[in-house]
Amino acid sequence: MAQYLTFQLYGPLQAYGTVAVGAIRPTATMPTRSAVIGLLAAALGIRRDEEARLAELHKAYGMAVREHSPGKVLLDYHTIQAPGTRGKRQLFCRRDELLLTEPNTILSRREYLMDALFTVCLWQRSDSAPHTLQQLAQALKTPHWTLWLGRKSCPPALPLAPQVGEHATPQAALAAYLVYEPVSATLRHSDPYRIHMDADELLESDGLPDAEGLPDLPADLGDLDDLADLGDLADAAGGMEMHRDMPLHHGRRQFAKRPVRVLLVSRVADSAHHAEMPADAEVSYVDK
């Protein structure tokens, strides 16, 4: 048995950026590792330029995500006014950008997930993790900065309702987390639903039929540095994907590839996954 932290992510819109080329800004269909780590960092009050603390946070925790409702993809047309040539002038605020320069208009099309609901599961990879799971849960309840689901235009529509408990596997922790029934009942569900899990973690099937019979992973997943390797592994394991969402440097927005094991789990009776809103689910914000 080990301790796991679970919490829910729901909002009318969510967006988890992937590789973007030109004016098209796609979203992943599940929360990415970089988005979850960013969410934790905002809750803890870690700034984007604190690269060492962010790297420590990333390495310290394993992650799995359950898709309760996949939602639908929305493609939105954006026009953005960016500051024009500034010369040697310093611009301190948005007002300066608009009044002291000739703004340029940038066009883009951005994808969002509508009415998607996910459950995130985290666990400590070692005793040297910078924060306990209880401290992470408390930070999610009383975040230092405002939380959003991938983009600032995507606030959560439900409390994250973090819970810490002891379970045999990440799958068991996800199965034990009860989602909020009044919202869940209105959403489009998938059956089977997906679980994305860090592939470098020990996987116990724990009675999940689609997880049984998978062969062992290679000893060194760091060797998987191109899509050809991924294809070979996917053929061997029957459920692998490579996601470019492992943060290397936030300032330069550099990301490495991460092997992810994909499980397909048959949906059990809906009543087993529903719950009333937890009594301590209210979110409050601490002073900066």
Side-chain angles (χ1 to χ4, degrees), residues 15 47 54 110 168 183 187 200-201 244 253 265 267 274:
R47 300 190 307 273
L54 290 170
R110 303 189 178 199
V183 169
L187 302 179
D200 55 345
E201 301 293 339
R244 187 183 289 275
R253 298 192 61 77
V265 182
R267 186 174 295 278
H274 294 165

Side-chain angles (χ1 to χ4, degrees), residues 195-256:
I195 292 178
H196 283 183
M197 180 182 300
D198 287 346
D200 55 345
E201 301 293 339
L202 178 65
L203 178 65
E204 299 290 345
S205 62
D206 194 35
L208 300 178
D210 299 286
E212 293 178 349
L214 294 179
D216 294 335
L217 296 172
D220 186 0
L221 291 169
D223 293 339
L224 297 173
D225 55 2
D226 59 41
L227 292 179
D229 288 340
L230 170 63
D232 294 342
L233 183 59
D235 290 342
M240 293 290 300
E241 294 179 354
M242 191 70 83
H243 296 177
R244 187 183 289 275
D245 65 353
M246 191 165 62
L248 293 178
H249 194 287
H250 289 77
R252 296 193 289 268
R253 298 192 61 77
Q254 294 176 330
F255 301 90

